[in-house]
Amino acid sequence: MALSKLTSLYQAIISEQASNPAYRGHISGGSVIELHNPTCGDVIALSLLLDEAGTIVDIAFEGEGCTISMASASMMCAAVKGKKDKDSLSLAGLFSDMIQGKTDHQEVEMLGEAAALSGVSQFPQRIKCATLSWNALKKALEVEGKRR
Ligand code: ZN
């Protein structure tokens, strides 16, 4: 692994953590999905609220875990808030491809700040940390889809 890649990855994550605690919390009245990543000990409880049209009007998470899992959760919230459920699922698929190193530079720009985590593809043991919140998103949208 290249040290410069590791350094820039962590710099991106640390600056994100410092600048964006905005998505910490719980949305009352929304669906809540709790997931954990046993290989690392990360836990996340994601709550979100959709409007009639399937737009994610509010989203937040509670949890504890490594820096990558928590930063990824915050970036995920930022990426999908205000987006339609279907578009959010597309982003989840894109993130999953990115984290496995299957995307090009232009595609990942759609992920916004979450694209900063593309370097995690160099560290296979951390992929589950980065995808935990996105998996919670997919589950939550599934539950919401069944409710409507
Ligand atoms: Zn982790």
Side-chain angles (χ1 to χ4, degrees), residues 77-91:
C77 291
V80 303
K81 189 173 180 182
K83 294 219 164 61
K84 293 263 194 180
D85 46 4
K86 286 190 181 112
D87 298 333
S88 301
L89 285 174
S90 303
L91 287 179

Side-chain angles (χ1 to χ4, degrees), residues 31-34 44-48 59-61 76-77 133 136-137 140:
S31 291
V32 183
I33 297 293
E34 193 172 316
I44 181 171
L46 182 72
S47 53
L48 56 76
I59 184 164
F61 72 98
M76 181 278 291
C77 291
S133 55
L137 172 73

Side-chain angles (χ1 to χ4, degrees), residues 107-125:
E107 274 183 301
V108 300
E109 279 177 16
M110 286 174 64
L111 289 165
E113 291 171 333
L117 289 172
S118 63
V120 173
S121 63
Q122 306 290 315
F123 310 99
Q125 73 277 19

